[in-house]
Amino acid sequence: MQKENTNNETLWTKNFIIINIINLLIFFSFQMLLPTLPLYIKELGGSNSVIGLVTGIFVVSSVIIRPISGLLLDKLGRKKVFVIGLIIFILSVLSYSIFSVISVILFIRFIHGFGWGAVSTASSTIAADNIPKKRFGEGMGYFSLTSSLAMALAPVIGLSLIARYGSSMLFYVSTILATLGFIATFRLKYKETTTQSTNKTNGSLYEKSSLNPSFIVFFVSITYGALTSFLPLYAAEQGIANIGIFFTVYAIALFITRPLFGKIIDTLGFDFAIIPGLVLVVIAMGLLSIASSLPLFLVTAFIYGVGFGATQSSLQTMAMVGVPSNRLGAANATFLTAFDSGIGLGSIILGIVSASIGYSQMYLWAAASAVIAFTLYFIIGRKKIDPSSRLI
């Protein structure tokens, strides 16, 4: 395999463009199912608890596979993990259209989580391989735009497909998108894996140097779990029916600001992106606790999008700064495992909280989680390493 040269300053190489296209296709396929799979389960007679289990079991399997995928990415190479993960992902999506028994769908969803965990860990690692070290923050910012674009458009398209043509068409389109991404993987040139390393933790599932930013993002992602799990219910309680536009505004804010903050951390450092980002997340959660009209919800969506976009992408960049290239897979896995765990655990804990004190007060608890992240950043998170020193 040809080894890619990432020591120059060119960002938009053929390889980087291809991995961005692949990531867009995969995330589109994934995001189309998020709001629609619960409708499918409901159509089959599933209860709200079963719908919650469909979400939870997916998070569990993706969290299990991420650290294993990270280690395999560094040991076996990027291509094998990426391709195998995509095959599992594609077959899982296609299987939803074949089986209409809830117990079988739960099993498929569990397997689907394995595919998603492996694919999403591999894609971000491959992107990192192809970003010049002096433009790393900017490059990761652009790469994250593909997921933001999918987040803004895919749920709307998915809901439209299932409403007009039924669930089978939805699953076919999702399968086709992922398959196109699979085909494009064979146009990539993958970074060679190296077995020689002086790193004593070379065989570890987790990258020790990435633990601090991962620990911080765990608390940040709790706020995201509060949004995805309970915002529609909270908005309905306030008499707002068309709250889907909240996530569109949120995604637009991500799309606008992520490359900007990427350039900021490359030139000024992490503090100038993460500190204001965390402050905005806290403010957004506070505003949600008092929101009672659609305009205020949308203002909150934009503030949260800017804050979360600055924080999440910057912390992911920090998790890879100074990490040897043969441990990038483990570094990505460490970060994404913490991210998923925060969403999953946050949804469970805040669900219990909301049942006791209501959604409004629950978002204040979510704000407290962001305050904890803000505090931790000053205690364990502030990294003195220049972002451009990523490659060792």
Side-chain angles (χ1 to χ4, degrees):
M1 289 181 294
Q2 180 178 344
K3 188 172 182 179
E4 286 292 294
N5 180 15
T6 58
N7 290 326
N8 56 48
E9 298 304 315
T10 303
L11 176 60
W12 292 103
T13 60
K14 179 181 177 181
N15 239 26
F16 187 63
I17 292 172
I18 292 174
I19 190 59
N20 273 275
I21 292 172
I22 293 172
N23 202 59
L24 176 63
L25 291 168
I26 295 169
F27 264 85
F28 230 98
S29 174
F30 171 70
Q31 290 286 343
M32 284 175 64
L33 299 183
L34 282 185
T36 52
L37 200 56
L39 297 177
Y40 181 54
I41 297 296
K42 201 76 172 177
E43 180 184 307
L44 296 177
S47 63
N48 288 337
S49 60
V50 172
I51 292 173
L53 188 58
V54 167
T55 301
I57 202 170
F58 182 85
V59 172
V60 168
S61 58
S62 64
V63 167
I64 290 172
I65 201 64
R66 282 201 191 279
I68 299 173
S69 299
L71 183 63
L72 294 177
L73 282 165
D74 296 328
K75 291 290 187 180
L76 301 181
R78 317 309 199 207
K79 183 175 182 178
K80 291 179 181 178
V81 177
F82 201 24
V83 169
I84 293 173
L86 261 173
I87 291 173
I88 295 172
F89 184 93
I90 291 167
L91 292 178
S92 298
V93 176
L94 183 61
S95 296
Y96 291 131
S97 66
I98 300 174
F99 301 98
S100 57
V101 179
I102 291 179
S103 58
V104 178
I105 291 175
L106 285 171
F107 176 74
I108 294 171
R109 190 64 170 162
F110 186 73
I111 301 301
H112 192 186
F114 285 139
W116 170 248
V119 164
S120 53
T121 303
S123 63
S124 56
T125 303
I126 294 168
D129 287 336
N130 289 279
I131 299 174
K133 61 180 182 177
K134 291 185 178 180
R135 301 181 67 181
F136 192 65
E138 180 188 359
M140 289 302 294
Y142 280 117
F143 176 73
S144 67
L145 288 186
T146 57
S147 58
S148 300
L149 183 60
M151 190 184 304
L153 300 178
V156 177
I157 294 174
L159 289 168
S160 177
L161 283 173
I162 198 171
R164 293 187 179 187
Y165 305 106
S167 55
S168 293
M169 180 59 72
L170 167 73
F171 298 136
Y172 293 150
V173 172
S174 181
T175 301
I176 290 171
L177 290 172
T179 302
L180 290 174
F182 174 78
I183 294 171
T185 62
F186 295 96
R187 302 294 298 173
L188 280 171
K189 291 183 174 66
Y190 296 88
K191 182 180 178 65
E192 295 176 352
T193 55
T194 56
T195 56
Q196 296 179 351
S197 176
T198 58
N199 190 344
K200 294 181 179 180
T201 62
N202 194 41
S204 174
L205 291 175
Y206 296 99
E207 173 56 39
K208 183 178 179 181
S209 63
S210 302
L211 287 176
N212 285 354
S214 300
F215 194 46
I216 296 169
V217 87
F218 170 83
F219 287 97
V220 177
S221 65
I222 288 175
T223 66
Y224 186 68
L227 284 183
T228 56
S229 299
F230 305 109
L231 186 69
L233 297 172
Y234 179 45
E237 190 177 83
Q238 302 294 326
I240 301 171
N242 56 336
I243 197 59
I245 194 174
F246 179 98
F247 294 101
T248 301
V249 172
Y250 159 74
I252 290 171
L254 289 179
F255 195 85
I256 294 173
T257 58
R258 270 184 164 167
L260 172 63
F261 281 109
K263 291 182 179 180
I264 286 174
I265 65 174
D266 283 339
T267 56
L268 300 177
F270 291 108
D271 284 0
F272 290 87
I274 295 177
I275 292 175
L278 286 170
V279 170
L280 290 176
V281 171
V282 174
I283 292 172
M285 291 297 103
L287 288 175
L288 271 184
S289 71
I290 61 171
S292 59
S293 64
L294 183 58
L296 185 53
F297 271 101
L298 297 185
V299 169
T300 303
F302 190 83
I303 293 174
Y304 184 79
V306 174
F308 186 78
T311 303
Q312 187 266 343
S313 58
S314 298
L315 287 171
Q316 186 170 15
T317 301
M318 181 182 287
M320 290 182 280
V321 166
V323 175
S325 59
N326 67 323
R327 290 290 292 168
L328 272 178
N332 261 313
T334 301
F335 181 86
L336 293 173
T337 298
F339 183 78
D340 285 347
S341 299
I343 294 174
L345 189 60
S347 297
I348 294 171
I349 294 175
L350 293 176
I352 296 172
V353 170
S354 65
S356 301
I357 62 177
Y359 296 119
S360 177
Q361 294 298 309
M362 180 206 70
Y363 281 109
L364 288 180
W365 280 57
S369 174
V371 171
I372 292 173
F374 183 84
T375 304
L376 285 174
Y377 179 70
F378 284 93
I379 298 174
I380 64 172
R382 301 183 77 182
K383 204 161 189 173
K384 301 302 183 184
I385 303 175
D386 185 338
S388 65
S389 68
R390 176 180 69 83
L391 298 179
I392 295 180

